Amino acid sequence: MANGPASFSEIGRRARDLLTKDYNYDQKFSLSIPSSTGMGLTATGIKKDQIFVGDISTQYRSGKATVDVKVDTYSNISTKVTYDVVPGTKAAISFNVPDHKSGKLDVHYIHHHAAINSSIGLNPSPLLEVAAAIGSKDVAIGGEIGFDTSSSSFTKCNAGISFNMPDFSAALIIVLKQADKGQTVKASFAHLVNPLTGTEVAAEMTHRLSGYENSFSIGSIHKVDPLTLVKTRFSDNGKVAVLSQRQWRPNSIATFSAEYDTKAVNQAPKFGLSIALKP
C-alpha cells in the first residue's frame, strides 16, 4: 500500500543502502534480457581471486503467478513460485535442489496500516519466522521473531522504529537475539542535503550491550551529473571506501569500487569492477 508502512526488513534501509549497496571488490558481470512474452533471462558471473562462479536465472510471469528459477555453476537449482492470492496478499513456495530440506512457504500481507511477513520451513522440524510493522509510510514500529522447532529455541528476536520523510530518515533497531550475535542497539540516519545534486549523507552506529563496544560508519552520495554518481564511506575500523557508478547507456551500468584499510598499511587496497548490461 502506498500510504502504509513498509515491511520490518525495510527499517533503516535508506541509510544501509547508502553505506553498503553496490560496493563490490570482485569482478562481476551480468546480462539481463527482458522479454515482452513475460519471460526474462539474467546471466551473472563473478571472479573472486582465481575462482569464477556464475549463475543463470529466469523469471516467467503469467497472470497472478511468477516463477523464478536459478541454476549456478555447482548445479544447484533454486526455484520460487509466487502467487497473488488477493490484493495485498502474496504467497510464495521456494526450494533448492538437491537440498530436500530447503523448502519454505512465505506469506506476505500488506494493509494500509500494517505489513506482515511470515515463513515456515517445509520439513519435519521447520524454522518459523514472523515479522510485522504497523503505522504509516512516515512512522512505523515493528518486530520480528524466529523459532527453531528442532531445538525449541528462539533464533532471533528484534524490534525497531523508523521515521521517514522525503529528505530525512532515521531508524532504531534493538537486536535482542540473532544467531551468534549478542544484544545490540543500532541507530541509523540519512539526510538529503541537496535535492538538485542528489547529495545525501548517512551514518550508522552500533552499540553492543554485552561488551559495551561501539562501531560506526558514515557515508555520502553525490550525483556528478544525471548519469554519474560517487559514493564514499568511512568506518571506525579505519577502512575507507569509494565508489563511482556510470550509466553509459539506458539500463546499463558500470561500477568501480575501492577500499583501503588505513590500519593495515602493508595490505594492498581492494578494487572491484561491476558491469550490468540490459539491452
Side-chain angles (χ1 to χ4, degrees), residues 34-55:
S35 173
S36 59
T37 61
M39 177 176 289
L41 183 69
T42 301
T44 303
I46 302 176
K47 182 182 179 182
K48 298 181 178 181
D49 297 326
Q50 301 300 319
I51 301 176
F52 179 84
V53 294
D55 61 68

Side-chain angles (χ1 to χ4, degrees), residues 3 23 25 29 45 56 75 97 118 123 161 171 188 200 232 262 277:
N3 295 321
Y23 282 98
Y25 307 112
F29 175 83
I56 296 177
S75 299
V97 177
S118 62
N123 54 68
I161 184 172
S188 61
E200 188 170 352
T232 60
T262 60
L277 302 180

Side-chain angles (χ1 to χ4, degrees), residues 50-274:
Q50 301 300 319
I51 301 176
F52 179 84
V53 294
D55 61 68
I56 296 177
S57 60
T58 182
Q59 183 180 83
Y60 177 73
R61 296 176 181 268
S62 178
K64 296 183 178 181
T66 303
V67 180
D68 294 274
V69 180
K70 181 170 70 174
V71 182
D72 63 22
T73 51
Y74 299 102
S75 299
N76 297 314
I77 303 175
S78 303
T79 303
K80 183 177 182 180
V81 180
T82 305
Y83 186 77
D84 294 332
V85 183
V86 294
T89 303
K90 291 184 178 181
I93 295 178
S94 60
F95 57 90
N96 300 328
V97 177
D99 186 0
H100 64 281
K101 295 184 179 180
S102 62
K104 186 172 66 170
L105 171 64
D106 297 284
V107 178
H108 308 282
Y109 173 73
I110 300 177
H111 187 264
H112 292 292
H113 301 291
I116 302 174
N117 300 322
S118 62
S119 69
I120 180 173
L122 302 179
N123 54 68
S125 301
L127 176 65
L128 308 176
E129 294 183 345
V130 178
I134 59 174
S136 65
K137 67 176 183 178
D138 298 328
V139 181
I141 183 172
E144 63 175 354
I145 59 173
F147 184 76
D148 189 349
T149 58
S150 63
S151 60
S152 299
S153 61
F154 287 96
T155 58
K156 62 182 177 181
C157 181
N158 309 320
I161 184 172
S162 66
F163 301 90
N164 297 295
M165 301 298 289
D167 63 341
F168 168 85
S169 176
L172 179 68
I173 298 177
I174 301 176
V175 180
L176 300 176
K177 182 178 181 63
Q178 183 166 346
D180 296 330
K181 298 179 181 178
Q183 296 181 343
T184 59
V185 177
K186 181 181 294 185
S188 61
F189 168 84
H191 175 56
L192 181 61
V193 179
N194 189 335
L196 298 178
T197 60
T199 302
E200 188 170 352
V201 295
E204 184 179 79
M205 181 176 179
T206 302
H207 174 67
R208 189 177 298 275
L209 300 177
S210 58
Y212 299 100
E213 300 174 355
N214 295 320
S215 61
F216 70 88
S217 296
I218 58 176
S220 66
I221 182 172
H222 174 76
K223 292 184 178 179
V224 179
D225 57 53
L227 302 177
T228 309
L229 63 82
V230 176
K231 296 174 66 175
T232 60
R233 184 184 67 211
F234 173 77
S235 302
D236 67 300
N237 57 8
K239 293 183 179 180
V240 180
V242 62
L243 176 151
S244 178
Q245 190 174 85
R246 172 75 176 180
Q247 181 176 308
W248 52 282
R249 57 172 296 173
N251 301 318
S252 296
I253 298 174
T255 305
F256 174 78
S257 308
E259 182 183 74
Y260 176 67
D261 190 346
T262 60
K263 295 184 179 181
V265 293
N266 296 325
Q267 184 176 341
K270 296 180 180 179
F271 298 99
L273 177 64
S274 174

